[in-house]
Amino acid sequence: MQDRWPDLVAAAEAQLPAGLVLDGELVVWDTEEARLSFGALQRRAASRACGAATLAAKWSAYFVAFDVLQIGGQELLTRPYADRRALLEQLFADHALTAPRTLCPMTTDLAKAREWLQTWTEVSGVEVIVIKPLTGRYLPGYRGS
């Protein structure tokens, strides 16, 4: 997969510390449509190494981080999400991380979450909101209801 995302791999190697595992989502922004493009994401994911750079120039990819699972080789899965989120925010601050990495916005305000769901889905192609309990542990392979 790394050969399909040379822009993200180069940025990660240049700025991210060793032993880091993030949970998030790859997205591709279509500048012509001014929105996220699942089709462009699929084209980039299916590309071969020889065409990856051309597609990367056409459709910028971003990694939207919403959780940190390991830092410096230390597993964080049993720590509550509130602690992991604080560590994720600190990671972004300490390393001055910017595009192509994006810190997923977070709120505990229900009205703000409703506003985001309504306004972001109308414009940019965002289809969901990730909801995590602040006291919750990370459970690999489990989707809560």
Side-chain angles (χ1 to χ4, degrees), residues 53-93:
T54 301
L55 291 177
K58 182 176 181 177
W59 294 310
S60 297
Y62 300 88
F63 181 79
V64 181
F66 44 79
D67 207 342
V68 60
L69 309 180
Q70 182 176 301
I71 292 181
Q74 179 185 3
E75 189 176 278
L76 306 171
L77 303 180
T78 60
R79 295 187 59 183
Y81 177 67
D83 290 354
R84 297 191 319 271
R85 178 63 189 206
L87 289 168
L88 181 62
E89 290 174 0
Q90 191 64 50
L91 173 79
F92 269 73

Side-chain angles (χ1 to χ4, degrees), residues 55-139:
L55 291 177
K58 182 176 181 177
W59 294 310
S60 297
Y62 300 88
F63 181 79
V64 181
F66 44 79
D67 207 342
V68 60
L69 309 180
Q70 182 176 301
I71 292 181
Q74 179 185 3
E75 189 176 278
L76 306 171
L77 303 180
T78 60
R79 295 187 59 183
Y81 177 67
D83 290 354
R84 297 191 319 271
R85 178 63 189 206
L87 289 168
L88 181 62
E89 290 174 0
Q90 191 64 50
L91 173 79
F92 269 73
D94 288 349
H95 295 275
L97 298 179
T98 58
R101 284 157 311 283
T102 302
L103 180 60
C104 185
M106 188 209 115
T107 185
T108 57
D109 182 323
L110 183 57
K112 177 61 86 178
R114 284 184 175 142
E115 175 193 332
W116 288 348
L117 185 57
Q118 182 178 17
T119 59
W120 291 355
T121 57
E122 290 175 358
V123 177
S124 62
V126 172
E127 297 175 350
V128 298
I129 289 181
V130 175
I131 299 172
K132 293 185 175 229
L134 291 175
T135 58
R137 297 178 303 128
Y138 188 89
L139 302 172

Side-chain angles (χ1 to χ4, degrees), residues 28-37 40 56-62:
V28 171
W29 186 257
D30 185 330
T31 54
E32 292 175 10
E33 296 290 325
R35 63 181 291 116
L36 296 175
S37 173
K58 182 176 181 177
W59 294 310
S60 297
Y62 300 88

